[in-house]
Each structure stands twice: as structure tokens, then as C-alpha cells.
Amino acid sequence: CHDATGYGPVFEEEPLDIVYTKESPDKRISMNCRARGNPAPTYRWRRDNWEIKLLELPTDHYSLVGGNLIINNPDEKKHAGTYVCVAKNIYGTVISKEAKVKFGFLEEFPDEERDPVTVKQGQGAVLICDPPKHEVTFQWIFNEFPRFLHPDKRRFVSQSTGNLYISKVEESDAGNYSCYVFNPQIGKGVYSKFISLIPIEECKKYKSDLVVKFPDTTAMLNYNVTLECFALGNPAPHIVWRKIGATDLPASAEVSMGGALLHLYNVQYEDASGYECEAINQKWQDWHQAWLYVEAAPEWAVTINNTQKDVGSEHTMSCVANGKPTPYIRWLKDGFSYGKGELKFSSLTFDDSGMYQCIAENYWGIIYASAELRVIACAPTFEFNPVKKYLLGANNGRVVIECKPRAAPRPKFTWTKGKEVLFNNSRISIMFDGSLEILNATRNDEGLYTCFAENDKGKANSSGILTITEATQITVAPEDTVAMVGDEVRLQCQASYDPSLDVTFIWSLDFRVIDLYLEWKHYQRVMVSNSGELKIMNVQIAHEGRYTCTAQTVVDNVTASADLKVKGRPGPPGGVRVEEIRDTSVKLVWNRGADHGNPVLGYTIQTRDFYALTKDDWRVASTSPTALNGMAVMADVVDLYPWMQYEFRVYATNEFGDGEASVPSIKIKTWDAVPVVAPTNVGGYGGKDGELVVTWTVGLSRFFYGKKFGYVVAFKPHDGSDWWYETISDPETRRYVHRDSSFGVTSDDFQVREFQVKVKTFNIKGDGPYSLTTTVYYPRDVPSESPTDVYARPVSSHEALVWWLPVMDTGTGLQQKYDDTEPGANRIFVPATANQTRLENMRPDSHYLIEVRAYNGAGVGPPSEHCEMFTKRAPPSVAPRMWRYISWTGKWLYVWWDHIPYNWFGNESFPLYYKVMFRKTGYITGPIYMTGWHFMDFPMPQVGDYELEVRGRYEGGDGPIRKIRLQGE
């Protein structure tokens, strides 16, 4: 029964899996094992469940150093296998986790020469690796070692098969290729014979064709997994990944290798789903689906601990492990099998003492838990836990005197007061654990109490003196209170108590103790004798609830409670969810939130779509009905974009204002629909050698309204009756070039040829409307005139405006540009209808020459006269220094700053004024422009975070910002 210094063995280091190679310089294997215990444990080892006789049958191969097993000159036939370490002392035996010894090697590739691969340019190619069967990584050598091929969007190396895939072969791909495999466990690599790739010249487009398709895959919980998908085709296909049944990939997902690899990091159960990869090019879309399953190695949910039990008592040992598949539980006692499931002992004996190990295992792994069970018997003793010498109890209260000696088996308890033996009655009872309980205690119960404990091993006793004090009582209790947001509230609490004791008042809100030190801004104790009055300042909605005052002494405590109701803005609605999804509307449902003492007048629904710029970019939604009254719990959100990801939130309004918004709903995606927005700015021009160029402005992707979005381009000669149609499946395309030698201008043409063009959109649901028909002109020659009256003016250090008088020959569909005459000069293109443009990204304080030319499909016309211009000097690179002071009330902010000094002979521009921006987070209250002054004051009437910005405005543009953040009280 006394504290024992000895204990059974506990592993501190266990053996690990080892891969041994013949090239190892040590020519030996060391398997580590270390355990602590008192007395120190001894060690033995087992291989494939057979004990290694290190002492009885010593060999030249095995030796023991401490607890470590050394294998000298390892031989695969003799020493490969599964090893466990066994640690033992007088208290029991434990075995370690299993560790495997493997012998690593890497086979060479076959010596046969590999046939060359001949393929047309634009076609896809697959070079077969055919590697040795090992756990290896793959790379490909191009022409010579160590020139490794770097995979990209067009070239991909599968880490499953080792094959090299080229989506479309180009002339630069010609050369010799070798598959290189590397085994990281042994640090060795080998490579195959070279394969010659011979491209044949051809210019043709091929549809996308998925040739690498990930199979159904099982991943391990909290580990990483990679899915492969790659397609051949010309143009090189673009690969898109999706999670089936979800609008987004998991947050931990990452796409790399030009879309060929989907990495899922730290995989969780919710990542289990079907995944789809789609390969898209202008000729075709190809897709593939497969499932990802997530399983887990065993992990302890309930384990075992060292336990000391009385002889003859009952005891149950159980452990629970989580995992997928469900782990199998088995037991070891002192290193030998001892059953499975749950261990139950109806009457413990000394033979049941020992080291127990619970083992949980499934396909993914095995875990061990160890604990010692010690069965004891001894006479009672109060040496470690005597009865308290001096005991206090409250008048008319409940008194418990503990009696907890150490004894085994459980002793019989007897109590005396003075010389009187106590028996159970209506006021006094001896509890099962030996403690004495006295109900409705009075002064007559004062005296010397002794606890006697006895079992078959011996007996012992211990005594203490009980004193009865006056009971603590609440004399003034807090009262229920109703307050408005911002009010000050006082909750009374006074108590009477025994004068020989000290009293402490503790306040709690909804069973949470209020920390007056940390929450000093709102809570304060009013220091009055015998009083625990609580003052609540600037009451907020969060302060509503049940307040409990506890008056506590070392003997007893008493409580009193009151409810505080706070009237203010309504609380957030709950349970916001989408119940029906349509193409342009959804049915939204929510639960009413707290009204905080005032009826809700109405609800507002906000949306945030996929293209929201920030997390706070919420917009008020259109609803049916338009106005949502205070009793509403559902509404139709209308005027949504089809095939768009949305999330929704709701907030309530009462006479105090708008309440806090709800938690956003789960993200959903509206159904797809036929597009209704036609392309804009349809135009074009005739080019050289019978080219007809049609251009248009690409619409925003929110107007795609569905998958497989594209364009249909229609055109015909002005005097023709039949339209020509071309389908373009790339949604980002903004021009189409049609080549027909008959379109070119000949010497027989006396006027410019005209073509009519129009463009419409389509998606998987159908075709959208055509744009307005536009006339495109096929020019006879390049423009013969040049623009006139070119004028340029600097706007800042890096921007300028340019004007000109355009060429009047509008029948040629002219467009114009500006240029300078230096080699590599910058140039921009503007529409023929414009006569001015803005030049950007210019150098500060620099000399520029500008010229403007007209151009059409046939080429560029003559230049205009040069226009010279100097950009302005750059603004300073430093922000103004700023100081601020907040008034003692916290309601006013005073700000002043230094002017940036100006150097007339420097390279920085002249200051014009200072721009001051002061705003409460989310609400702009500026800007204010200041010239000479550099001192200002601002009101801060509201609690919250504020931002202040000061920056200089110079001839060359805005200078850097000086920004500070502060808080209004």
C-alpha cells in the first residue's frame, strides 16, 4: 500500500523499419530499443515470432549493445523479416512495435535497343518507360545525362507508369529520350536505352484525348494524395478539375503541371468524393471521373492507464480506437496473447498483476498502449491522508468530514464523537467512502471526531475538531432589470456572514465567471462594506442574460440571481439555407433571431457571388416579395445570374436599426441557362492574302450562363445571300481569322469590298442571340494620309494625353496608333473612332517623341509629324511624418504633420496640396484637401476602429501614404 518506487518497463525508443543495401559501408544493421523501468529492464529480441537466442546460442551475426540489436554482415535469407524488442523486469514484460528489415536493390533496364517513334507535328506522343518493379520516382533525360526534361503544360511524366506524354509534338521535341528511375530508399538510379523521337512536318489540329486517367483511389487521413490527368491534342488541351457535387475544390487542393496534377494536402473525410478532370481545346472536350476514398490508421479514443486495485475487487480494462476500416482490438499480458475486446476481472488475485498491452490494428497500421495493473493488500494507514485537525461548518448547513485512509481490501469504518460511538440516523450518516455527513448542523455538533478503519490486515484511526460558524445569507438580492443599449446598470448584492470569517463576492453571467480585471471597460465592483454591487457600463446586447451573485466564505456560500434584458438592434437570424435552386432564383429559408425587446420590422437578404472582390463584398438581393416583414422566414431571391456560385446571409431591422448579419449559407451554384447577352463591339477588317479578320469584345464570364461556352461567327459578302458559319469553343477568344484567296482585292475591283459579320454565343443549354450586323471593309491599299495636329500633354510623372486630327477616309476602317521613331519603341492601338488616348507607364522627367499613324488590314500608313513632350518629375519617395493625440474623452482626434521640403534643383516634383482621409472602418468620411495648414481635428462619436491617411499631391502625382489605425472609445 505504501508508495512504491518501482514500476514496469515503458518504451522510450522503439525499432524502426530499415532498408539495407549491399553497398552500405558499415556492413551491419543497428535496431534501437530503449526502455525505462525500476529495476532497469533486460532485453530480448524476436524475429518472425521466434526468439533470437543471443545468450544460449551466440553467433557471429547477432550481438546486443544495451537494448540495441546489432546484425553484422547481414544476409537476406537469414536476416530479412519482422523484429520486435522485448523489455522485462520484476513488474512485467512489454513488447515493442514491429519493425521490418528489408534488403534494397534496383534492377537495371533491359539491354535491348528501343525503336524510334515517328509522329506528325501537332499530334500527341507517348514514350513508354517500362520500368523495373520498385517504389521509384521518374524523370526523363533529353539527349544526354544529366539534361533532364522539365514537364510543363505540353509535356507530362506520370509518376504511376513513368511514361512521357507530349500533348502536341513540335519541331523542338526532336531528339533522344531516356527514362530515368530513382529509388530514394537506397539512393540509386538507373536509366533506359534512348528512344528517338522524329517529328514529321504537318500543320493540323487534333481534338483533346485523355490518355492519363486517375483510377479509383484510397487515401489515408491527414496524408497527401495526387491525382493524374493528361490529354493529347493540338492546341495543347487545358485541363480543369472539379469535385462532383460541390462548387469548389477542397481548400487544401492545388493544381500543378499545367493542370495535369491535382494535389490534395492533409486529406480529410469530407474530401472523399468523385473527382472529374476535363480536357478542353478548340476541337473537343474530353472528361474522366473516378472516386477518392478516405480511410484512416488506428488512433486511440480511449486508452489504458497504470492502475492499482485491491485484491478480490472487480476491474475492467478497455480501450477504443478510431479508424477506417474499424480497428481490431487484441491484448497482450507480459508479452503473450491474452484475449480480445474488453478484459473483465470479477475477483482480482495477485497473479493478475503485470504489464498489459492493448493493440489496435487495421490495413493502414498498428498502435500499442501499455499499462501496469498492480493488485495490492495492506493494513489501513492515515500516514498520507489524515483527517483534518481543525474543521469548520456552517450553522444549519451540511458538514462532511472526510476519512480516506489507504487500505486494501476496503476497510470497515466507525466514527466517534468524543467517547460516543456514532450510528446512522436522520441527521448523521457514514458514507460508503468512510466520510461522515452531518445535516442541519448546530453548535451542539461541535467537538472531537475520530474515524476508525479496520480490515483483515490491521486497523488505524485519525481525529479532528469541528467548529460551527454562523451561516452566510444574502440580505439584498439583485433584481430583474430592463436596459437600453448604452445605459449604465447597477445590480445590488449584500450578505451577512460570521464575523470571524472573510467574505468574497463573485459575479457570473450565464454561469460564466466575470473577470473584472480583463473586462474593466464594462464591469466594475462598487466598493461598499458587506456589499458586492456590480456596475455595468455602456450596456451592449452581449451583456444580456442571467447574473448570479455568490457570497462565499471558507465554510459556505450562497447565491442569488436576476435577469438583465437589453433592448437594442435584433440578433442575427439562424439556420440560413437554400431549399430550392433554379437558374435565376433560389428559395431561401431562415430562423428568426432574438428581437432584443423590440419587434422586428423587416428582413434584408444579401448575396455574395464568385466574383466578389473581398469577403465583405455583400450586396442587397432582389426578393419576391419585394418587402420582407418581421414575420417572414422564407423568400425567393430573384434576378440571379445562371450558373453562378452564390452564398446568402440575412439580417433583421427594428426601430434601433439593422442587426448583425447571420452566418452565411453554404455556397450553391444556380442552374445553367441559355446565354442572353450578345457579344459587343463586333468589327474587323480585311487583311493580306485574302484574310478576313472578325473581332469582338469578350463578355464577362458571369454571362456565360453554363459550361462549354463559345462563339459562332457568321459572315458573308455584302451582296451575297448565304452566310458562312464558324464555331469557336474557346470562351477567351476575341478574334477569328478566315482565309480565302477569293476575298482578296484584284485589279478589277473599282471600289472597296464589303462584308457583313455578326457573332453569337452558345453554351451546353443552347444558342444565345446574335449581335448587330456590322459591315467590314476589305481595303485596296494601306492608308495614304497621315494624322495631323498631333499634340501631347503630360498628366503626371508616368502618364500623358495625346490628341490628333484623324484621317477622314472612314471607308477603310482605319485604326490609329502612336509610336516613336526609336528602335523597340512602345506602341498602342486605339479604335478608328477615337482621336485621343492616354499613355501610361512612362519614365519620370524624360524626353519623348510621339508620332501617330493610321493603319488598316493592308498595313500601316505614313507617320505624322513628331510631337515632343517632357514628363513631369516624380513625387517624393517618403510619406509625411504624422503625429496624433486623442482627447481624454476619446471623442476627438487631433492630427498634425510635417510638410515635405521642396528642392528647386532636385529631381522631385513641386507639392500642390495634402490629401487627408479619415474614416471609420467600412464608412468613408473624407477626403479633405489641405494646402497650407498642417493641423486638423476630427470627431470620433462612435465606438470602433478608425483609419487615418495623409499623403501629398504633387505635380508628378500622388506621393506615398502615411496610415495609422486607432480606436474610438
Side-chain angles (χ1 to χ4, degrees), residues 123 128 256 280-281 291 309 364 387 406 510 614 647 660 673 733 740 799 897 917 943-945:
Q123 279 189 329
I128 305 299
S256 66
I280 307 170
N281 70 1
W291 282 87
K309 300 294 290 185
W364 295 101
V387 175
R406 183 171 292 178
D510 294 334
T614 65
E647 52 188 330
E660 181 184 351
T733 299
D740 191 327
E799 291 180 322
W897 62 89
M917 181 80 74
V943 176
D945 295 328

Side-chain angles (χ1 to χ4, degrees), residues 526-763:
V526 179
M527 305 305 293
V528 181
S529 177
N530 299 341
S531 174
E533 181 180 345
L534 178 69
K535 181 168 70 173
I536 309 174
M537 302 163 290
N538 190 16
V539 170
Q540 300 297 312
I541 294 296
H543 299 145
E544 183 176 274
R546 167 154 290 197
Y547 285 80
T548 301
C549 173
T550 302
Q552 179 175 293
T553 66
V554 295
V555 176
D556 63 346
N557 64 76
V558 63
T559 63
S561 300
D563 292 325
L564 174 63
K565 300 290 185 182
V566 181
K567 290 187 175 183
R569 299 180 182 184
V576 178
R577 59 199 181 276
V578 176
E579 289 199 344
E580 295 179 14
I581 301 176
R582 312 176 191 99
D583 54 359
T584 59
S585 64
V586 300
K587 180 181 179 182
L588 193 69
V589 179
W590 63 90
N591 301 324
R592 298 188 187 100
D595 60 12
H596 293 152
N598 285 80
V600 173
L601 302 178
Y603 290 93
T604 302
I605 298 175
Q606 293 180 313
T607 66
R608 181 171 61 188
D609 63 27
F610 178 80
Y611 296 100
L613 299 177
T614 65
K615 65 179 181 178
D616 297 322
D617 188 9
W618 289 91
R619 302 183 182 184
V620 176
S622 300
T623 60
S624 176
T626 304
L628 304 178
N629 61 41
M631 300 302 293
V633 291
M634 68 176 65
D636 284 343
V637 184
V638 299
D639 298 338
L640 302 177
Y641 291 106
W643 203 57
M644 177 64 69
Q645 174 184 292
Y646 284 99
E647 52 188 330
F648 304 89
R649 71 179 187 182
V650 184
Y651 66 83
T653 303
N654 63 14
E655 65 178 64
F656 288 97
D658 297 334
E660 181 184 351
S662 67
V663 175
S665 67
I666 295 175
K667 294 177 181 178
I668 60 96
K669 198 168 194 176
T670 51
W671 297 122
D672 44 9
V674 174
V676 298
V677 179
T680 57
N681 297 328
V682 176
Y685 54 89
K688 298 178 181 180
D689 304 325
E691 287 185 349
L692 176 64
V693 180
V694 182
T695 61
W696 61 90
T697 298
V698 175
L700 298 175
S701 55
R702 67 178 63 203
F703 297 117
F704 288 0
Y705 288 8
K707 294 191 295 184
K708 300 182 180 179
F709 182 86
Y711 302 94
V712 175
V713 179
F715 55 93
K716 71 179 183 68
H718 185 70
D719 53 356
S721 58
D722 295 331
W723 290 86
W724 298 24
Y725 300 94
E726 288 291 340
T727 300
I728 300 172
S729 59
D730 183 359
E732 299 301 324
T733 299
R734 60 190 65 202
R735 69 195 299 265
Y736 169 72
V737 180
H738 182 80
R739 293 177 176 85
D740 191 327
S741 58
S742 65
F743 287 0
V745 178
T746 66
S747 58
D748 296 333
D749 292 321
F750 295 99
Q751 60 183 3
V752 175
R753 301 188 66 178
E754 299 180 6
F755 290 85
Q756 290 184 325
V757 299
K758 58 184 179 180
V759 183
K760 72 176 179 181
T761 57
F762 71 90
N763 63 19

Side-chain angles (χ1 to χ4, degrees), residues 10 97 298-307 315-322 329-331 341-343 355-360 367-372:
V10 179
K97 298 176 182 178
E299 183 179 9
W300 291 122
V302 178
T303 186
I304 53 177
N305 298 298
N306 293 337
T307 306
H315 182 52
T316 299
M317 299 181 72
S318 65
C319 55
V320 179
N322 296 325
I329 302 292
R330 58 188 175 91
W331 292 85
E342 189 176 66
L343 298 184
M355 296 298 298
Y356 289 80
Q357 289 180 280
C358 180
I359 301 174
I367 53 177
Y368 293 72
S370 302
E372 180 183 353

Side-chain angles (χ1 to χ4, degrees), residues 8 102 242 344 351 386 419 421 562 696 790 848:
K102 298 180 181 179
R242 300 182 187 90
K344 291 186 176 182
D351 291 337
K419 296 182 179 180
V421 178
W696 61 90
V790 179
Y848 277 85

